[in-house]
Amino acid sequence: MSLFSSLSVSASGMAAQRTRAALLVENIANSETTRTPEGGPYRRKDAIFSTTQVGSEFASELDSQMQTGVQVSAISVDQREPEKQYAPGHPDADANGYVHISRVNPAEDMVDLVGANRSYQANVAAMSAVKDMIQKSIDLLR
Amino acid sequence: MDGISTSLERYMDLVSMRQKLVSSNIANADTPGYKTQDLDFQASFQSMLDGGSARPIEVQGLETKNDGNNVDLDREARLLAENALRFNIASNLVKSQIQKIRSAIKEGAA
């Protein structure tokens, strides 16, 4: 059934946008974090999308028609030098009294978050349209 | 089933195929380098009526963003609504065909 694989495509889009939103929220939450397990201040993360072939669970080998969905293929980590802020009293300050803080720009992340939200909604709209089409096909049997 | 029902079946197949491409376009709205996919509706329908299959094409004339992606969400939203309506019309027509056959069977029995 071809319509069911459209649901998988929209689901892959929703999952990818949700992952992206999670990373953006993490960035905002950690914009002032100076300690991380890797050492140094927090570094901004972002999702890299790529196309992927998705099929319905029931598609099996018989239905070789695969659909182009989306996946998070990598998570990019900001490699720029951290910003320095003069705060001699801070426990993480270096010998010269500077604290290394992340280069997260909350405004940038908020804008991206709005974009992720909009894309998620578009996928939901596509999914509900396909759902209605499947329902119409089922109604033919009544 | 007669010719009309067969054509309607092909039509619904084609609309659902197009719906899949629209879903893919929307899912990949933020994928770098992705190009909008669509069907040449009339040509595909003609070829399907003749027993062929539909071939997806890359849509030309859309504005390409800096990351090489050219998905226009407004265009996809329009196609989403259009496909839903087309499918609705076709399914209602199929329903009326089935009802005709059913009434022929029932009236015969009475």
Side-chain angles (χ1 to χ4, degrees):
Chain A
M1 254 315 266
S2 56
L3 273 176
F4 286 108
S5 51
S6 307
L7 290 178
S8 311
V9 172
S10 295
S12 78
M14 285 161 72
Q17 296 297 343
R18 209 169 44 230
T19 308
R20 180 178 169 210
L23 291 173
L24 293 170
V25 169
E26 190 185 319
N27 291 338
I28 295 169
N30 284 293
S31 61
E32 293 181 33
T33 302
T34 54
R35 283 179 208 176
T36 55
E38 303 86 44
Y42 179 82
R43 287 174 186 275
R44 184 176 191 274
K45 291 181 188 135
D46 204 354
I48 310 287
F49 290 166
S50 70
T51 55
T52 181
Q53 301 299 310
V54 294
S56 156
E57 306 283 315
F58 296 100
S60 82
E61 294 84 30
L62 290 171
D63 181 15
S64 58
Q65 269 192 322
M66 297 300 268
Q67 299 309 313
T68 310
V70 64
Q71 65 176 355
V72 176
S73 60
I75 291 169
S76 75
V77 179
D78 188 0
Q79 294 302 332
R80 288 175 297 179
E81 274 294 297
E83 239 172 280
K84 286 180 184 171
Q85 202 173 49
Y86 188 63
H90 197 285
D92 290 328
D94 61 13
N96 299 321
Y98 284 97
V99 180
H100 294 254
I101 58 165
S102 77
R103 281 191 180 268
V104 172
N105 179 1
E108 187 187 345
D109 285 300
M110 284 310 293
V111 170
D112 283 355
L113 203 53
V114 172
N117 186 17
R118 211 174 92 98
S119 299
Y120 188 89
Q121 282 172 353
N123 279 301
V124 172
M127 188 180 262
S128 87
V130 173
K131 220 180 66 187
D132 285 350
M133 285 166 78
I134 295 173
Q135 190 60 50
K136 284 273 166 1
S137 307
I138 295 170
D139 286 348
L140 287 177
L141 301 174
R142 285 170 201 234
Chain B
M1 292 277 241
D2 56 13
I4 299 173
S5 302
T6 317
S7 313
L8 282 172
E9 191 194 327
R10 296 272 180 282
Y11 185 77
M12 285 169 87
D13 273 348
L14 193 63
V15 170
S16 59
M17 207 177 286
R18 195 180 206 193
Q19 184 68 25
K20 259 189 291 183
L21 294 174
V22 171
S23 298
S24 291
N25 290 341
I26 290 175
N28 285 292
D30 295 317
T31 307
Y34 180 85
K35 297 280 183 269
T36 304
Q37 307 272 321
D38 200 3
L39 295 170
D40 181 347
F41 204 87
Q42 285 194 340
S44 298
F45 190 46
Q46 273 304 326
S47 108
M48 280 180 86
L49 284 180
D50 299 335
S53 63
R55 283 271 161 264
I57 52 164
E58 270 185 19
V59 182
Q60 305 298 319
L62 291 172
E63 193 188 339
T64 307
K65 284 167 248 172
N66 282 339
D67 59 359
N69 181 305
N70 72 352
V71 175
D72 179 355
L73 270 186
D74 298 325
R75 176 190 181 275
E76 304 309 325
R78 176 182 69 83
L79 283 177
L80 203 62
E82 191 186 309
N83 275 334
L85 289 172
R86 283 176 188 268
F87 197 87
N88 209 345
I89 293 165
S91 81
N92 280 331
L93 289 173
V94 172
K95 212 172 187 173
S96 73
Q97 290 280 320
I98 293 172
Q99 254 155 17
K100 264 183 214 161
I101 295 167
R102 189 174 283 168
S103 86
I105 296 168
K106 277 193 181 155
E107 299 304 315

